[in-house]
Structure formats: structure tokens, C-alpha cells
Amino acid sequence: MTCVMGILLILVALFIIKLILVSIFFYADIRAAQKKDPAAKSFVEVLLLYQGLHALVSYRIAHFLYKSHLFFLARLLSQATRFTTGIEIHPGAKIGKRFFIDHGMGVVIGETSIIGDDVLLYQGVTLGGTGLAKGKRHPTIGNNVVVGTGAKVLGDITIGDNSYIGANAVVIKDVPANSTVVGVPGRVTRQDGKKIDVSLDHIHTLDPIMQNIEELEKRIKNLENK
Ligand SMILES: CC(C)(COP(=O)(O)OP(=O)(O)OC[C@H]1O[C@@H](n2cnc3c(N)ncnc32)[C@H](O)[C@@H]1OP(=O)(O)O)[C@@H](O)C(=O)NCCC(=O)NCCS
């Protein structure tokens, strides 16, 4: 009985030490989560209950193991974390400061992804590759980018700083800084705060199917007017 109590006490002490260490080393990330999630009521709530934070803590350790060439251990940790959080971050990915994944379930971040500072991802986001080629095959996400729920950002493309990827967009081409992208395939609808009229924009139109449909609509209208 005394032995069981002793083990329990040690486990509780280890858990408390872990919480203190995470609070110290991940202070900025926890504050960022509080800032980016209006539902977050307190520091302790984020520390104890946010899967996005737990996945980030585990990723930082796995990334250290990966850089130390302990690839199997790194992957083991990332897969175990996927099991407990629903978030899969490959240990090879590079992630900047104050990163936050809100809700988290279903997020996948590929091995050669590079993520800047102050990035926010929602549930169901994929930063994925487009083929079987080795080398850099995942996206580079700039600073202060938000990727909406369910969005897929695919291939070795760059998302410029301060951009917003809309929910469920599929982005397969570079996105300039300060842009909002929506749709499948993703097209820029807003840049530097200004709304972009897709039919008039000749630089940022990324959707050839939309262009064809608009062209056909114009021809139908012309025929109807005759
Ligand atoms: C893209 C987004 C940021 C809106 O940006 P915005 O520039 O304010 O967009 P607007 O509301 O002015 O809409 C611009 C156009 O894009 C369309 N649009 C907006 N979001 C869209 C989306 N996710 N997919 C497809 N079209 C979208 C609008 O209908 C509008 O079309 P219109 O010009 O033909 O009327 C936002 O809609 C979004 O998707 N946010 C993601 C939030 C999220 O994931 N939350 C998860 C919380 S759990």
C-alpha cells in the first residue's frame, strides 16, 4: 500500500514538473493561443486542455530527435501524439514561434513544410505534397498566416506573409503576401485589403474553370441580346 502511494506521489510530482516546464518553455505559445482563440478563458485551460499545444510540445521534442538523426524515435513520438491529439506533424517540418492549431483534429503537416511565426491553423488543414518525388515537396507558409478549417495547401508553394486561406480552399499555386484565397482551386479574392474582382483581374486569377464559365456566360448574354 505504501509502495503504491509512493509511486502515485512520484507520478503526480512528475506531472507537476512537466506542467511547470511547459508553462516556462511554451509561455509565448500559450499566450498566442489565448490571443487567437476567443473561447480560451485562461492560461491553465490552454495548458491542460488544448490539443494544439500538446501536439506542439511533442513536435518540438520530436524535431530535436529528428535533427539528432534519431528518425525512428522522432516518428514514434509523432505517431503516438497523432493517436492522442488527432494532429500529425512530421518531425522534419520546420515551425516558427507562437504557432497555434485551434481544435486540431485532422491536421496533417508534411515533412518538408516550413511554417513562419504567428501562424494559425484550424482543424482539418493539410500541408501536403503533390507527388512521390523526394526533396522539398510541401508548402512554405509565411509569417502571420491563417489557414481556415479544412483547407489543403499542396506542393512546394509559398504562401506570402499575412495571408488568409479560406475554409476548404485547395491551394496549389503561390499566394502573394496580404492576400485572401478561397475556392477550389484557390483564387485570390482580396489583396492588400482590397477586394479583387475575379473577372477583371488578370494577375491573380488562379481558376481556369471559372474563367471558362465566365467567358461562356458572356457569350450566352451576347447571344440573348441579339
Ligand atoms: C475567406 C474568409 C477569410 C473571408 O474573407 P473575406 O475577404 O472577408 O471574404 P468575404 O466575406 O468578403 O467574401 C469574399 C467572397 O469569397 C466568398 N467566400 C468567403 N469564404 C469562402 C470560402 N471559405 N470558400 C469559398 N468562398 C468563400 C464569399 O462568398 C464572397 O463571394 P462573392 O464576392 O461572390 O460574394 C472566410 O470566409 C473564411 O473562410 N474563414 C475561415 C475561418 C475558419 O476556418 N474558421 C474556423 C473556426 S472553427
Side-chain angles (χ1 to χ4, degrees), residues 6-8 18-19 37-39 57 61 82 86 89 95 110 115 142 147-149 170 191 193 198:
I7 291 172
L8 272 178
K18 180 189 150 192
L19 288 185
D37 180 9
V57 172
I61 300 166
R82 174 183 180 272
I89 307 177
I95 300 181
I115 299 176
V147 187
T149 177
V170 177
Q191 190 161 26
V198 175

Side-chain angles (χ1 to χ4, degrees), residues 102-103 120-123 125 146-151 164-169 179-184 187 189-191 193-198:
D102 201 359
H103 307 294
L120 166 61
L121 309 186
Y122 285 103
Q123 68 275 18
V125 165
V146 178
V147 187
T149 177
Y164 205 126
I165 310 297
N168 284 333
S179 310
T180 298
V181 178
V182 302
V184 181
R187 64 181 199 283
T189 54
R190 197 180 281 273
Q191 190 161 26
K194 285 191 203 113
K195 212 162 177 171
I196 289 178
D197 181 347
V198 175

Side-chain angles (χ1 to χ4, degrees), residues 1 8 17 35 37 41 75-76 79 90 92 95 115-116 127 129 131-132 139 141 152 175 179 184 189 196 205-206:
M1 190 65 186
L8 272 178
I17 291 169
K35 224 164 106 183
D37 180 9
K41 301 281 184 278
R75 201 66 205 275
L76 185 69
Q79 291 305 110
H90 194 286
I95 300 181
I115 299 176
L127 306 183
L132 299 177
I141 311 287
K152 274 84 190 147
V175 170
S179 310
V184 181
T189 54
I196 289 178
T205 305
L206 300 173

Side-chain angles (χ1 to χ4, degrees), residues 9-23 47:
L9 275 176
I10 290 171
L11 287 177
V12 170
L14 284 176
F15 182 67
I16 291 170
I17 291 169
K18 180 189 150 192
L19 288 185
I20 293 169
L21 288 178
V22 172
S23 307
L47 177 66

Side-chain angles (χ1 to χ4, degrees), residues 15-101:
F15 182 67
I16 291 170
I17 291 169
K18 180 189 150 192
L19 288 185
I20 293 169
L21 288 178
V22 172
S23 307
I24 294 168
F25 288 111
F26 290 83
Y27 182 83
D29 300 283
I30 297 172
R31 284 285 180 228
Q34 278 185 279
K35 224 164 106 183
K36 286 171 183 157
D37 180 9
K41 301 281 184 278
S42 69
F43 189 90
V44 174
E45 183 185 349
V46 177
L47 177 66
L48 290 175
L49 305 178
Y50 274 51
Q51 306 300 316
L53 176 73
H54 302 164
L56 180 66
V57 172
S58 165
Y59 155 78
R60 296 280 185 223
I61 300 166
H63 186 62
F64 173 77
L65 294 172
Y66 187 89
K67 283 201 298 186
S68 311
H69 295 274
L70 297 167
F71 299 121
F72 185 83
L73 269 185
R75 201 66 205 275
L76 185 69
L77 181 56
S78 103
Q79 291 305 110
T81 307
R82 174 183 180 272
F83 184 73
T84 55
T85 63
I87 297 168
E88 181 174 335
I89 307 177
H90 194 286
K94 291 182 185 148
I95 300 181
K97 293 174 194 148
R98 298 173 296 279
F99 176 61
F100 177 46
I101 302 174

Side-chain angles (χ1 to χ4, degrees), residues 103-200:
H103 307 294
M105 187 60 86
V107 167
V108 176
I109 298 176
E111 181 182 16
T112 59
S113 304
I114 300 175
I115 299 176
D117 296 335
D118 300 295
V119 170
L120 166 61
L121 309 186
Y122 285 103
Q123 68 275 18
V125 165
T126 299
L127 306 183
T130 45
L132 299 177
K134 298 212 169 191
K136 179 84 170 87
R137 60 195 182 281
H138 299 104
T140 297
I141 311 287
N143 298 321
N144 205 30
V145 170
V146 178
V147 187
T149 177
K152 274 84 190 147
V153 185
L154 305 175
D156 181 16
I157 59 172
T158 301
I159 308 297
D161 293 348
N162 313 311
S163 289
Y164 205 126
I165 310 297
N168 284 333
V170 177
V171 186
I172 49 173
K173 289 187 179 169
D174 288 348
V175 170
N178 313 312
S179 310
T180 298
V181 178
V182 302
V184 181
R187 64 181 199 283
V188 176
T189 54
R190 197 180 281 273
Q191 190 161 26
D192 296 319
K194 285 191 203 113
K195 212 162 177 171
I196 289 178
D197 181 347
V198 175
S199 59
L200 294 177

